[in-house]
Amino acid sequence: MEQLTITEKSGANYLLFELDGALNAYTLAEFQQKVYGAIQKSNVVIDLSKIIELDSSGIGVIMAAFNDGENCGHKLYLMALSNESEKTVTATGFKDQLNIINSVTEVA
């Protein structure tokens, strides 16, 4: 069974979630709860460098958090996309609208 490890770190003006494993319908519950709560209070950076699977459920959570952030004045950033996460993000057609960064130093 797939697993997802979530490591949470605080920065000066953001909360960082480092994800390791699969972000899919089976593993997203804890991440969904954390990211929806965090985006209400702060900018959020999601490190996708260690994601081995990202399905439509996972991208749905990311897109919903992105929209929630825009509604409350915070930004959601996707950092260091793995090959798998980049394929899924590109397939959405929204890659150019998302805030994709290579390092937390790019958080505005």
Side-chain angles (χ1 to χ4, degrees), residues 33-100:
Q33 182 181 21
K34 288 183 177 204
V35 76
Y36 287 175
I39 198 67
Q40 301 295 321
K41 302 172 193 159
S42 173
N43 294 323
V44 171
V45 178
I46 304 172
D47 181 348
L48 297 172
S49 62
K50 295 179 183 171
I51 285 293
I52 58 170
E53 180 189 348
L54 178 60
D55 73 0
S56 59
S57 301
I59 201 71
V61 169
I62 290 170
M63 295 300 292
F66 179 84
N67 290 335
D68 287 354
E70 288 201 333
N71 290 338
C72 62
H74 298 124
K75 287 189 175 184
L76 181 122
Y77 297 88
L78 303 179
M79 184 174 76
L81 278 64
S82 67
N83 287 338
E84 282 303 312
S85 59
E86 184 161 9
K87 286 178 197 172
T88 306
V89 169
T90 300
T92 66
F94 294 110
K95 186 175 180 182
D96 293 338
Q97 284 76 36
L98 296 171
N99 303 308
I100 298 176

Side-chain angles (χ1 to χ4, degrees), residues 4-56:
L4 178 67
T5 303
I6 305 166
T7 305
E8 204 172 313
K9 298 180 179 177
S10 293
N13 61 341
Y14 62 88
L15 192 59
L16 170 67
F17 293 103
E18 294 175 345
L19 305 183
D20 188 352
L23 180 57
N24 59 32
Y26 300 105
T27 63
L28 64 75
E30 181 185 0
F31 172 68
Q32 182 177 14
Q33 182 181 21
K34 288 183 177 204
V35 76
Y36 287 175
I39 198 67
Q40 301 295 321
K41 302 172 193 159
S42 173
N43 294 323
V44 171
V45 178
I46 304 172
D47 181 348
L48 297 172
S49 62
K50 295 179 183 171
I51 285 293
I52 58 170
E53 180 189 348
L54 178 60
D55 73 0
S56 59

